[in-house]
Amino acid sequence: MKEVVITADSTCDLPKHIIDKYGIIITPLSVLLGENSYLDGVDVFPNDIYDYVSKTGDLPKTAAVPPSSYIELFEELTSQGKSVVHIGLSSAISSSYQNSRIAAAEFDDVYCVDSKSLCTAMGLLVLKACDLREKGFDAKKIANRVNSLVPKVSTTFILDSLKYLHKGGRCSGVERFGANVLGIKPSIAVDPSTGKLDVAKKYRGKMDTVYKQYINDCLKDTKKIDTSRIVIANSGDIPPEILSFAKGVIEGTKDFNEIITADAGCTISSHCGPRTLAIFYIKK
């Protein structure tokens, strides 16, 4: 059977040690700071994003991985006799997935999965693909199995500010939600059927209290959670005691095989801003 290679867009935001462990190949999106273009996680990082916004008042823009980049990668791998499972950023958010499909059409053994998700919630699907590869599944079966898990991924996060998401135009629900002047903090969720973002819940109070409420809400019904992995992700500047609180709640509610802590990459940080916290898992 052919060797299976798992590839994923940079928006999976998996820590480097995990990417290295599983031999995952990352396809970086582009981040535009003014007239300059950089590759997500290669030559630009979240702190660069925040410095740019602080100095200019402008938000960065992001650009999808072009078909040519996918073609080059898929050609290199398939010419070595390997098959490929590629997992892409939600097609409702970026054209990267569609571009990967365009590229994959030129090859016989390349399979693309629309995660309909983002950040390390998408990364959980990437890791499921790696698990299935370890069990001896071929590329087509891996892609089919991962596709079946897409609707089960819980992708929610809590924002300190709507500024980045509102200006970036990535969440239609923000318009209906209104301004932050009432001191309300929104939890954003990705609809697993469409991959679109919308306001899921509204919290009020000091941010540290809101973080804790969000964490507890995420873990209210652990009987329905796949306990193989859970992720605590953040986009920077989250107080360490909040991250410790999240880990403590997780450890106290269920015996997870792996608790992953991850930093959001540039693409996600560009649209959510700092002090965004997320708990990601897959439902049973």
Side-chain angles (χ1 to χ4, degrees):
M1 189 174 69
K2 289 183 178 181
E3 177 184 347
V4 180
V5 179
I6 308 299
T7 68
D9 291 338
S10 60
T11 46
C12 70
D13 290 346
L14 288 167
K16 185 179 184 301
H17 72 274
I18 291 179
I19 291 170
D20 292 343
K21 176 183 177 180
Y22 291 99
I24 301 162
I25 296 178
I26 299 297
T27 49
L29 277 74
S30 294
V31 178
L32 309 175
L33 302 181
E35 297 181 355
N36 299 315
S37 178
Y38 305 91
L39 293 178
D40 181 7
V42 177
D43 49 18
V44 68
F45 301 91
N47 283 340
D48 300 318
I49 302 293
Y50 303 144
D51 288 345
Y52 174 81
V53 175
S54 176
K55 291 175 182 177
T56 67
D58 297 327
L59 289 186
K61 296 179 180 180
T62 55
V65 182
S68 58
S69 293
Y70 289 120
I71 289 172
E72 182 178 351
L73 175 61
F74 296 160
E75 185 172 29
E76 177 185 352
L77 294 173
T78 56
S79 67
Q80 297 170 4
K82 301 173 182 178
S83 56
V84 179
V85 176
H86 176 75
I87 300 171
L89 175 62
S90 172
S91 59
I93 297 173
S94 168
S95 59
S96 288
Y97 170 70
Q98 184 59 35
N99 290 347
S100 72
R101 286 287 305 273
I102 292 170
E106 300 191 14
F107 304 93
D108 292 330
D109 212 4
V110 176
Y111 302 88
C112 298
V113 176
D114 181 357
S115 72
K116 295 185 180 178
S117 192
L118 47 76
C119 199
T120 333
M122 170 188 165
L124 287 172
L125 293 174
V126 176
L127 292 178
K128 283 294 186 182
C130 294
D131 293 341
L132 293 166
R133 179 182 60 186
E134 294 302 310
K135 292 179 180 179
F137 286 76
D138 63 24
K140 185 176 181 179
K141 288 183 179 179
I142 291 173
N144 288 340
R145 289 289 187 97
V146 173
N147 262 317
S148 71
L149 292 173
V150 168
K152 298 182 178 182
V153 178
S154 174
T155 307
T156 66
F157 46 96
I158 188 79
L159 297 168
D160 178 52
S161 170
L162 285 171
K163 179 177 74 172
Y164 283 70
L165 201 61
H166 174 61
K167 286 190 175 182
R170 296 287 176 166
C171 181
S172 60
V174 169
E175 294 291 345
R176 298 193 300 273
F177 179 74
N180 267 347
V181 294
L182 299 177
I184 297 173
K185 305 297 182 182
S187 171
I188 305 297
V190 178
D191 184 331
S193 64
T194 64
K196 294 181 179 180
L197 305 176
D198 208 344
V199 175
K201 191 167 184 176
K202 303 169 186 177
Y203 295 89
R204 189 190 298 271
K206 293 182 179 180
M207 202 60 214
D208 283 7
T209 301
V210 168
Y211 285 137
K212 291 178 180 179
Q213 290 175 335
Y214 163 76
I215 293 164
N216 285 320
D217 285 347
C218 285
L219 297 162
K220 278 194 302 188
D221 194 1
T222 54
K223 292 180 181 179
K224 297 181 179 180
I225 299 177
D226 175 354
T227 58
S228 58
R229 294 184 184 93
I230 191 167
V231 174
I232 305 167
N234 81 94
S235 65
D237 292 342
I238 300 290
E241 57 269 24
I242 295 299
L243 298 176
S244 296
F245 176 83
K247 188 173 182 182
V249 172
I250 289 170
E251 291 174 338
T253 55
K254 206 75 173 179
D255 185 17
F256 288 90
N257 296 339
E258 185 176 11
I259 300 173
I260 297 172
T261 56
D263 298 324
C266 288
T267 303
I268 303 305
S269 298
S270 294
H271 297 296
C272 294
R275 297 178 294 280
T276 297
L277 177 69
I279 304 293
F280 300 133
Y281 54 80
I282 296 178
K283 300 173 186 176
K284 290 180 179 177

